[in-house]
């Protein structure tokens, strides 16, 4: 009935020639937001001549996303006679270079392979007047910043640039300031917010063995509703989990399991994705190579077997379900399995669930509170014992000793000291006890001397040697004489020093 929010403002603004920054959650239909305006832009340009490069350029971070954008662009531009070429790693360079030399109005490419073909003069960017950076934050994470800037520098300065991303970090903002001219910013929802059409469930478990048991028991039920995408954090763990599922699951379920990760060659990755798309495989175990931009229909369940490395990656993972379709958004469900070592990400998960209007489990909050980030995220200062400071004083992070919190405790603490010590430090006459009545009157009159004599008597009671007692007495005499010297007022010089 009506286009998604991200598809409504960009086309009019793009058709007017303005630069665009589009920030929207994954699965919201960003691809068509730049394919349609690019098609209209192409129709207004003169036809390509021999030796001309593309008019429109679309950069994407991964091969799979570049291929997906290529198919969408080709579907819309073929009826108008516009040619589209896909350029990405893992496929034959000669075929791609030949297609570029024959001429193409639109090139969809990954930054690394495009730079390689530009160095070999397979094409040029002299005719390029419209550039799209899709999933720009992901390209930064993959280390393509240098290639992106180098490619942009080869394009005419009066170009039109569109930047689309699900998040907008400081580095992305710096790139936008450098390559965009007075852009219009379109933001759908809050930055870092997950889609509200995806129901999230966070399961807190004891360890990795419990995660395996949970997935093995729940997988048959997930398959009754649709396709299942399982994310793991490492390439070796991806293959290991897929092979174990094939080995220990029932035969009818084991035959539906496949895997994909970055170390597979392009042919194997294409075969796995094709089988998952057409439904011959219903379960795909993947690393984050499948977390960005891939639009595969029929995925109803996403399982984060290993948590993502950050909350932005988590948003992209669960965005593989609950995506925009022909009949609108199809709701999906995402499960995240957490263990005790995932307490840092648990803090961000709590905020993400609240922003997305999801239920926050008590076990997740309890796990998040064990992280040092919890106090920073919630803006609460904590004491060393993990309790909230109730003193109400700014900067008071440590409580006073319990012995000083009550007057009765303070009195008992002082009573344990030798006679005369507290009086000496308080500069009051020492109160001699019954055991100290035999001490000389001169020592009780001088507070410093009384304190030193009290310490000497304490050492004698603890079994100190006679020599130590004599040394203490000598020290007491020296201290007394020193005290007398200190008590005399010093003469000040004429300069007041």
């Amino acid at each position: 009935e009506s286009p998604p929010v991200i598809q409504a403002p960009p086309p009019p603004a793009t058709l007017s020639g303005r630069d665009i920054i589009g920030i929207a959650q994954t699965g919201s239909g960003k691809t068509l937001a730049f394919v349609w305006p690019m098609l209209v832009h192409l129709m207004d340009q003169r036809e390509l001549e021999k030796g001309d490069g593309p008019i429109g350029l679309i950069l994407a971070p991964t091969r799979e996303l570049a291929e997906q954008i290529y198919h969408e662009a080709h579907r819309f531009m073929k009826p108008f006679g516009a040619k589209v070429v896909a350029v990405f790693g893992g496929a034959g360079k000669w075929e791609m270079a030949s297609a570029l030399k024959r001429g193409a109005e639109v090139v969809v490419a990954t930054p690394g392979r495009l730079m390689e073909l530009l160095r070999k003069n397979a094409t040029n960017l002299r005719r390029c007047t419209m550039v799209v950076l899709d999933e720009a934050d992901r390209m930064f994470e993959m280390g393509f910043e240098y290639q992106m800037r180098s490619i942009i520098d080869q394009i005419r300065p009066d170009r039109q640039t569109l930047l689309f991303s699900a998040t907008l970090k400081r580095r992305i903002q710096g790139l936008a300031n450098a390559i965009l001219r007075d852009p219009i910013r379109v933001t759908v929802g809050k930055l870092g917010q997950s889609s509200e059409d995806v129901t999230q469930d966070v399961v807190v478990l004891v360890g990795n063995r419990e995660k395996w048991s949970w997935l093995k028991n729940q997988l048959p039920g997930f398959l009754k509703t649709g396709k299942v995408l399982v994310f793991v954090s490492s390439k070796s763990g991806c293959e290991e989990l897929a092979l174990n599922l094939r080995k220990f699951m029932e035969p009818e379920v084991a035959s539906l399991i496949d895997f994909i990760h970055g170390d597979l060659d392009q042919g194997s990755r294409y075969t796995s994705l094709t089988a998952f798309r057409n439904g011959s495989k219903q379960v795909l175990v993947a690393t984050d190579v499948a977390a960005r931009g891939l639009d595969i229909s029929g995925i109803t369940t996403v399982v984060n077997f290993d948590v993502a490395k950050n909350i932005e990656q988590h948003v992209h993972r669960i965005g593989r379900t609950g995506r925009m379709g022909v009949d609108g958004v199809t709701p999906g469900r995402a499960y995240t399995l957490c263990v005790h070592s995932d307490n840092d990400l648990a803090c961000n998960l709590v905020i993400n669930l609240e922003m997305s209007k999801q239920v926050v489990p008590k076990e997740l909050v309890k796990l998040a509170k064990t992280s040092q980030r919890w106090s920073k995220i919630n803006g609460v200062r904590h004491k060393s014992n993990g309790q909230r400071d109730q003193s109400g004083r700014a900067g008071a992070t440590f409580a006073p000793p319990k012995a000083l919190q009550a007057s009765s405790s303070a009195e008992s603490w002082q009573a344990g000291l030798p006679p005369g010590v507290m009086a000496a430090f308080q500069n009051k006459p020492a109160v001699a006890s019954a055991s100290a009545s035999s001490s000389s009157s001169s020592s009780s009159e001088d507070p410093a001397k009384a304190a030193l004599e009290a310490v000497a008597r304490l050492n004698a009671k603890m079994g100190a040697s006679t020599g130590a007692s004599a040394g203490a007495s000598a020290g007491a005499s020296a201290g007394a004489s020193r005290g007398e010297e200190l008590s005399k007022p010093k003469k000040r010089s004429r300069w007041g020093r």
Side-chain angles (χ1 to χ4, degrees), residues 103 297 493:
S297 60
S493 64

mmCIF file of all heavy atoms in Angstrom, residues 103 297 493:
data_model
loop_
_atom_site.group_PDB
_atom_site.id
_atom_site.type_symbol
_atom_site.label_atom_id
_atom_site.label_comp_id
_atom_site.label_asym_id
_atom_site.label_seq_id
_atom_site.Cartn_x
_atom_site.Cartn_y
_atom_site.Cartn_z
ATOM 1 N N GLY A 103 31.590 -2.309 -21.786
ATOM 2 C CA GLY A 103 30.768 -1.169 -21.395
ATOM 3 C C GLY A 103 29.607 -1.566 -20.512
ATOM 4 O O GLY A 103 28.912 -2.550 -20.782
ATOM 5 N N SER A 297 14.569 -15.074 1.616
ATOM 6 C CA SER A 297 13.188 -15.219 2.057
ATOM 7 C C SER A 297 12.998 -16.540 2.791
ATOM 8 O O SER A 297 13.693 -17.531 2.527
ATOM 9 C CB SER A 297 12.248 -15.165 0.846
ATOM 10 O OG SER A 297 12.545 -16.219 -0.062
ATOM 11 N N SER A 493 63.551 35.504 61.118
ATOM 12 C CA SER A 493 64.506 36.456 60.556
ATOM 13 C C SER A 493 63.776 37.722 60.137
ATOM 14 O O SER A 493 62.557 37.802 60.149
ATOM 15 C CB SER A 493 65.189 35.825 59.334
ATOM 16 O OG SER A 493 64.234 35.594 58.320
#
